[in-house]
Amino acid sequence: MHPDLSKHLHSEECNRLIERLNVCHEENKFRKFLGACNDIDRELNQCLKQEVNFDVGEVNRLNNKVSGKAKKGAQPIRHFSPLCILTCSDGSEYKIKAGIRGKLVEVNEELLTNPQLVNEKPDAEGFLAVVLPNLVESDNLKKLLLSESQYLNIRESGSGGGEM
């Protein structure tokens, strides 16, 4: 059984699979009961499992309403505050934390219908959220950042923790 298959709720990829499944069911009115469309159905189930959820339990990040230059109404964020929960196509879930203290300015609502953007365009349309850090604190944190060569040396030496 699938969730609501309305086009506006799903990514283009999932909508293509929904259409293929509908055509398969139409063309195979009786064979569909014998598994003629099962391969497409499995692909669709995998596609529908990919999800970005901004309801992180204690607060729904979609309720964030910001206005004005001072970002009035922005949700306060601490470095350990969850921004969203990512559900991968294999069913694994990851709670993504902010990593910095500040104000939540925006969440990427496009990810609700196109969650694959997180993988396809993480540096552009696939962003999760915009957090405005405290300026003094962010200046101090910038001083602690690694250069690209330092980061690559740590990655190569294997002393940087777990695999990404």
Side-chain angles (χ1 to χ4, degrees), residues 122-134:
D123 296 336
E125 292 95 342
F127 74 95
L128 297 173
V130 176
V131 176
L132 179 64
N134 175 294

Side-chain angles (χ1 to χ4, degrees), residues 7-15 50-52 108-120 125-126:
K7 283 189 171 213
H8 70 281
L9 295 175
H10 303 290
S11 67
E12 288 180 35
E13 176 188 355
C14 289
N15 283 330
Q50 298 175 8
E51 182 180 273
V52 177
N108 188 355
E109 294 184 32
E110 178 68 20
L111 297 178
L112 298 173
T113 54
N114 294 314
Q116 72 278 7
L117 287 174
V118 171
N119 291 326
E120 293 172 0
E125 292 95 342

